Amino acid sequence: MRLIGVLADGLYWLDDRLRFFDAGANRTRGGMLRPWTGRHTIVAIGLPVALVFLLVNGPSLRLSGRLLAAVVAAILSAWVFLKTLKFTSRGSILHDLIGHAGILLAVVVALWWVAGANAIEASDAVFYRHVFMPIVLLLVLTAVVSALLASRLFTSERARKTLTRRLPRVDLFVSRPTRQQPTLGMLLLAAFGALTSTPGRVLLFPSLVILFVDREWVTWVFVALLVVNLGLLAFANLDRRFSGSWQLLHITFFGGWVTLVSALVILLGIARILDVQYVSTIFDGARGHTIAGYVFAAYVFVWWHDYWTSTTAVIRFLDVLGGKGSSAHGQIAYPLEVAPTTRVPADNRVIQSHGAGRVVVWRDDDGGKPFFHAYKPEDLVDALIDDLPENDPGRPDADWVKWRLNSHFLITSAVLTVIFVSAGWALSRLPQQPSIPSAAARSTLSVSSVLFAEDACTSGTPVIALAASGGGTRAALYTASILERLQRQGLLGSVRLISGVSGGGAALAYFAAHRAALLKGDQSAWDTFFTAMQQPYIADVLDGSGEFRIAATSRLGVLLAESFERYWSSPRKTMGEVQDIGLMLNSSIAGRFVVVEPNPEKSSLGLLERRAQSGRTASGTQRRGNSGPFNARLSDVTGGRVVYTNLDLPDHVGAATLIEHQPTRDRNDTRLPVFILNGRDITLAAAAAANANFPPVFSNAPVDRDENTRFWVTDGGAVDNRGTESLLMAIRYALITDGERCATLPPLHVVEVEASAFSDGYRQDRGIGSMMSAGTAFASQLDAELMSDIREIYQRRVKDGTAAVRFHYLPMPALLRRSGSFGTHWMLQPTITVCKDPDCRESMALTGTEVVTLLRALNHHRLPSDEDTQADEAQEFIEKEDLELVPNWNRLTACLRSLNEGC
């Protein structure tokens, strides 16, 4: 109890400090801006200055010349906003808003013009066009409309007279209630009440703070702040006076639209405390503060809007209390005609506008601290009529004022919603630029020419066809490690055909681009390969996600492709430049747009697609009736493949259909839809990004096959995360169509590099697990049947048994790909938890660098580290316990070295 008393004393002291801080920081007339204006708080300058900073800098807060320019621009703008307020304060509150709005509009227009259309966030340009610019324009429009609506807020003369008459008869100052010493039981119950009634206020500040602390401190900081915040809210529930002070910290974060931003912060905080990898890894990364930039911007936007919405409403409310025209300067006289109920003298009292959409009753005390008490407008109305009888005719008038206040905020919210939704709808109707444009020239490289080249046919050297699974950074690094092992064994040159999905596909694209250097065994080239695969690509995507082109005519996958391009520094950049190996990168089809109408204007597919959505013909006229074929967006091939390749392959790779007819609008094809994009000018980076366009982070991306067909694609792993089926279909096609080029077929080894997420536990999921896993199960059966076809062809062609077809499964160690360990996002985790058992009763924590070193060292040599390190322990454990990787790897190398058919 003694400790509770000490805490209570400390909280009463904190109460006083908070109240006087509020009085100073949120005071208008006589406050911090008194040399320039008497009806605004310092927030009226701070928020537009923050907007200027965001307009210049954009969402990304990375250190750059742009950030420095934003800081300088913000500082200079403060002087401009102050001077403008001093001038406009001669008029109404609307003049203040128009003055600040005009400055912000001028900044937006100037930045938009200076930035130009080609500057991007990742470039060296100081300015670039980003979404904050149109957002500020819309906010300015909304605020002006709201201010105009506020001018007609209170039109009832009767209500005006009722409140004006009641004001001098009610003492609005409040004496501090007698302190009541709380007990432990009371505090516990009050804390439980806070947790159940206001969970958002309990969680917000702990969630906000842990977004900016190091990973190892997240749990401790969250728990400590949660306990402190819960205790403060418990005291606030027991003391009305302290409740009013403590609520000051929450009014800013829970009220109107800002509540949505706070809810997002809480969700991010909870995701980080639960170590949800798509959130925690990004915040753990060096550029995780870009998300913080978005959060900060969201708060600034809604605060600026709410400030002007509430301030104009408060000024009109004061006009009601003091009489028409009396509140031009944000303050009215408050003469008390009855005996005061507090120790505050009855003379020299005023009511003035206050921060956070409140009013404050104020009286300066000569030589001492001032007397003050803040109210929300509706609470002040309640205080004025509190002692009136229930049937008093003044109560309906007061209720009308409260209703008008509430309706004002509802209307302004509706205006905000309509304006932003309309703008979003207009943006969504813009023609979309393709992530991969239609190819001007097709590649003529045949599968058989790379798979069964002359040297392989004459020497009997084994040929390797390799498929690499998806799995983001994890799969990319594991694929690189397998390729490096093949190079160390002198077998990498035998890899003639490669097919990849998502992360594995990106690694194979890099390999194809740098194949010459990697085949030489140059250690620096391999080190650069691994460095490239662990770059924070998702950080680049987040940094650039605020670009206006992404909101308007492009998709996030474009940013991933540009990031690949920057980090890879590829000597070969396009599919057409890769002629010494067959490359297949796989996307999953989400839908397609087909042009069947004449297109005499040669309009782009993006424009034709938007016209079709609007019910218009290719020429832009309104379609009448349903006669004849018309352009349409279809889902008839959803679940199929788009394959970006340098190989000359037909659609569906020669697979037969089940029903012998041509598919129509109402009759789909019955085979697995596989559409080939083999343009010579398709860039490797764009194809890799399209094949790694993982949902839900990346929306479906448009790729144009030709002038008549556009596919909307997602990550290749959405169909099957291994990419083996297209590889096997290509091999079968080569054997059927051009297998005779080899007098003797060489031994063929199909290698599947598997780094998909692994989980062997069962839990009740109401069928979701079956739905998600069905594609892999059916794909496995398809792969088995394709392998059977290939083996049958080999058996017909090779009578003496000198050549054989073998399938090798090389899974990443289950310990590293188990769900919840090594993430799939395009950023190497700083810390990776390796669980030694399915229930993770025993685990070890490795750094991302240690895991990369471990992958490169498995089954090759000891780790270059000190003895008894956790990485050494992990290597020994994996090599001892993993039942698939090491035996399968040994079997593969033995087969390739000995050419033993019975391997």
Side-chain angles (χ1 to χ4, degrees), residues 743-804:
T744 302
L745 289 174
L748 175 63
H749 296 269
V750 179
V751 178
E752 181 180 316
V753 180
E754 173 67 283
S756 301
F758 169 76
S759 176
D760 56 0
Y762 166 76
R763 65 182 60 184
Q764 174 61 258
D765 59 6
R766 298 184 181 274
I768 294 177
S770 299
M771 179 181 67
M772 299 298 293
S773 301
T776 300
F778 279 99
S780 295
Q781 179 62 34
L782 173 62
D783 293 344
E785 295 183 5
L786 287 169
M787 278 297 299
S788 177
D789 290 348
I790 293 169
R791 285 180 174 133
E792 182 180 345
I793 296 173
Y794 252 74
Q795 288 173 359
R796 290 201 306 265
R797 291 284 313 281
V798 182
K799 303 298 184 181
D800 58 1
T802 57

Side-chain angles (χ1 to χ4, degrees), residues 23 61 77 107 141 159 226 329 343 430 444 456 480-481 560 588 607 649 661 686 698 788 808 824 829 832 837 882:
L61 299 181
S77 70
V107 172
L141 175 62
L226 185 66
H329 299 292
R343 64 186 182 90
L430 294 176
T444 58
S481 73
L560 183 60
S588 301
L607 182 59
L649 290 168
H661 66 68
F698 294 90
S788 177
H808 306 274
T824 61
Q829 296 162 248
I832 296 172
D837 59 272
D882 195 281

Side-chain angles (χ1 to χ4, degrees), residues 171 173 334 336 338 340 342-349 362-365 371:
D171 191 347
F173 284 96
Y334 170 38
L336 190 62
V338 296
T342 64
R343 64 186 182 90
V344 182
D347 59 340
N348 297 326
R349 296 179 174 205
W362 191 282
R363 187 189 188 281
D364 288 313
D365 188 17
F371 300 101

Side-chain angles (χ1 to χ4, degrees), residues 451-516:
L451 192 61
F452 305 125
E454 183 177 353
D455 61 335
C457 293
T458 57
S459 66
T461 303
V463 172
I464 300 176
L466 184 145
S469 79
T473 299
R474 178 185 66 229
L477 288 169
Y478 182 60
T479 300
S481 73
I482 293 296
L483 293 173
E484 185 181 33
R485 291 186 212 175
L486 288 170
Q487 190 276 326
R488 286 171 176 162
Q489 297 284 345
L491 301 170
L492 188 58
S494 298
V495 177
R496 304 296 181 91
L497 180 63
I498 51 179
S499 172
V501 170
S502 194
L508 294 181
Y510 183 97
F511 169 66
H514 297 262
R515 185 172 183 266

Side-chain angles (χ1 to χ4, degrees), residues 290-329:
T290 297
I291 294 183
Y294 277 106
V295 173
F296 170 70
Y299 274 121
V300 170
F301 292 152
V302 295
W303 284 338
W304 188 86
H305 172 268
D306 289 349
Y307 176 83
W308 284 104
T309 300
S310 59
T311 298
T312 51
V314 164
I315 295 296
R316 301 301 176 192
F317 177 69
L318 288 178
D319 189 65
V320 172
L321 292 179
K324 186 173 293 186
S326 62
S327 64
H329 299 292

Side-chain angles (χ1 to χ4, degrees), residues 362-393:
W362 191 282
R363 187 189 188 281
D364 288 313
D365 188 17
D366 297 335
K369 293 181 180 179
F371 300 101
F372 57 90
H373 191 76
Y375 289 91
K376 292 181 180 179
E378 57 270 27
D379 292 337
L380 190 144
V381 173
D382 288 334
L384 291 177
I385 65 172
D386 187 53
D387 61 345
L388 290 179
E390 289 295 329
N391 58 352
D392 189 281

Side-chain angles (χ1 to χ4, degrees), residues 614-698:
S614 303
R616 297 182 180 276
T617 63
S619 60
T621 59
Q622 189 67 40
R623 182 179 292 108
R624 300 183 182 279
N626 294 318
S627 60
F630 52 86
N631 303 340
R633 303 179 90 191
L634 305 171
S635 61
D636 56 337
V637 293
T638 299
R641 286 280 197 211
V642 169
V643 180
Y644 319 100
T645 181
N646 61 341
L647 300 172
D648 186 13
L649 290 168
D651 285 344
H652 319 300
V653 202
T657 182
L658 180 64
I659 302 176
E660 297 298 332
H661 66 68
Q662 291 296 321
T664 62
R665 283 286 175 84
D666 58 346
R667 294 187 301 178
N668 295 345
D669 202 336
T670 53
R671 57 193 155 193
L672 174 67
V674 180
F675 295 93
I676 304 299
L677 267 70
N678 67 342
R680 294 181 57 84
D681 54 351
I682 295 176
T683 65
L684 295 171
N691 120 111
N693 196 62
F694 66 90
V697 176
F698 294 90

Side-chain angles (χ1 to χ4, degrees), residues 221-369:
V221 170
F222 182 83
V223 172
L225 290 178
L226 185 66
V227 171
V228 171
N229 199 34
L230 197 57
L232 291 171
L233 288 172
F235 271 102
N237 282 347
L238 297 176
D239 187 289
R240 187 178 65 178
R241 176 79 171 246
F242 180 70
S243 176
S245 298
W246 190 243
Q247 293 297 332
L248 298 176
L249 299 178
H250 294 279
I251 289 174
T252 310
F253 296 95
F254 291 98
W257 289 98
V258 74
T259 303
L260 297 179
V261 182
S262 296
L264 174 62
V265 170
I266 292 171
L267 290 176
L268 289 173
I270 292 175
R272 194 172 188 211
I273 196 69
L274 296 178
D275 200 21
V276 176
Q277 291 181 1
Y278 283 97
V279 175
S280 61
T281 299
I282 293 172
F283 276 103
D284 292 343
R287 281 184 280 172
H289 295 301
T290 297
I291 294 183
Y294 277 106
V295 173
F296 170 70
Y299 274 121
V300 170
F301 292 152
V302 295
W303 284 338
W304 188 86
H305 172 268
D306 289 349
Y307 176 83
W308 284 104
T309 300
S310 59
T311 298
T312 51
V314 164
I315 295 296
R316 301 301 176 192
F317 177 69
L318 288 178
D319 189 65
V320 172
L321 292 179
K324 186 173 293 186
S326 62
S327 64
H329 299 292
Q331 178 177 289
I332 62 173
Y334 170 38
L336 190 62
E337 297 176 357
V338 296
T341 58
T342 64
R343 64 186 182 90
V344 182
D347 59 340
N348 297 326
R349 296 179 174 205
V350 295
I351 302 179
Q352 61 188 43
S353 58
H354 203 55
R358 295 168 296 159
V359 295
V360 64
V361 290
W362 191 282
R363 187 189 188 281
D364 288 313
D365 188 17
D366 297 335
K369 293 181 180 179

